[in-house]
Amino acid sequence: MYTILSFFLLGLSLAAPIGPINAAVLDRGIKKGFFHAWVVGIGALIADALLMILIYFGLVHFLTTPFMKTFLWLFGCFILLYSGIESLIDAGKIKGEAYRNEVTLSKSFFSGFFMSITSPLSILFWLGIYGSVLAETIADFDRNHVLLYTGVMFTGICMWDVFMASLASTFRRFLTTRALSFISIASGLSLIGFGLHFGIKAFHALFG
């Protein structure tokens, strides 16, 4: 039970740091409600699951080659800049029901998925964290327990996703339009900041 609880708390702690995914979840939640925010997190979660599968089978090193890292920096830069600029443009449309209907759940899902899967930081993060956890767990437990504890860790990540989506939709319900617009602008600027960071990394990789 202690081990299960520790893996659950690990999942929560891995999902909690403020980054592009949490910023995107918050932005979607205050604009479009709980389900859109939750689906952004689910998209990111599935991307994380794919990375963890690659780590489990030892294939993730292909994604850390110089060519793939540069490609992912560039693609991640594009995705984040696009999402951030879109957030700034749409900051004044938060309360419009017509605007809510323009964006489908599938778009929210793929937004979170591509933000996570194209981030070399995410790849290196999971390689370092999950790779080390996996190595230690395999040394002490059999494969069934490894899968169980990994599932518990994902449960923690899912719980954080639900919490962030609920928080964002609560903001939408109780805050004024001006306050919501301010939060949306802050989230958009955060996404643009992460995008520029990725772009600088790509520039250094290409031109030294």
Side-chain angles (χ1 to χ4, degrees):
M1 184 58 68
Y2 172 79
T3 304
I4 290 176
L5 179 61
S6 65
F7 271 85
F8 178 78
L9 294 176
L10 175 62
L12 285 176
S13 63
L14 291 176
I18 297 299
I21 299 302
N22 281 334
V25 168
L26 191 61
D27 181 64
R28 288 294 170 103
I30 64 175
K31 286 198 180 86
K32 305 170 190 72
F34 173 83
F35 284 106
H36 279 273
W38 180 63
V39 167
V40 170
I42 291 298
L45 181 67
I46 290 178
D48 290 340
L50 290 176
L51 292 176
M52 293 173 78
I53 290 171
L54 291 176
I55 292 171
Y56 185 83
F57 289 104
L59 302 176
V60 77
H61 296 288
F62 167 72
L63 298 177
T64 60
T65 60
F67 171 78
M68 284 302 299
K69 285 175 67 175
T70 303
F71 172 78
L72 291 172
W73 287 128
L74 288 171
F75 196 51
C77 173
F78 170 77
I79 293 292
L80 290 170
L81 288 178
Y82 174 83
S83 299
I85 293 171
E86 183 184 47
S87 176
L88 294 181
I89 292 173
D90 295 334
K93 303 178 182 179
I94 291 173
K95 290 293 186 179
E97 290 299 319
Y99 170 70
R100 289 187 68 184
N101 293 333
E102 288 176 4
V103 180
T104 63
L105 288 174
S106 61
K107 182 177 180 180
S108 295
F109 172 85
F110 284 111
S111 175
F113 179 84
F114 284 120
M115 275 186 197
S116 184
I117 202 70
T118 60
S119 171
L121 287 178
S122 181
I123 294 169
L124 294 175
F125 176 80
W126 282 112
L127 181 61
I129 299 296
Y130 184 66
S132 60
V133 170
L134 181 65
E136 181 179 353
T137 307
I138 287 177
D140 296 331
F141 302 98
D142 58 31
R143 177 170 296 185
N144 289 334
H145 281 85
V146 170
L147 295 176
L148 170 65
Y149 296 147
T150 299
V152 171
M153 184 170 64
F154 262 94
T155 301
I157 297 173
C158 287
M159 291 295 291
W160 182 262
D161 181 28
V162 172
F163 169 75
M164 285 296 295
S166 301
L167 181 66
S169 60
T170 300
F171 283 164
R172 177 182 177 84
R173 188 175 299 113
F174 293 108
L175 296 182
T176 64
T177 301
R178 176 172 292 185
L180 293 175
S181 296
F182 176 79
I183 295 174
S184 181
I185 291 170
S187 298
L189 291 175
S190 175
L191 292 172
I192 290 173
F194 282 108
L196 291 175
H197 172 74
F198 285 9
I200 292 171
K201 290 286 188 179
F203 178 84
H204 286 310
L206 288 171
F207 304 107

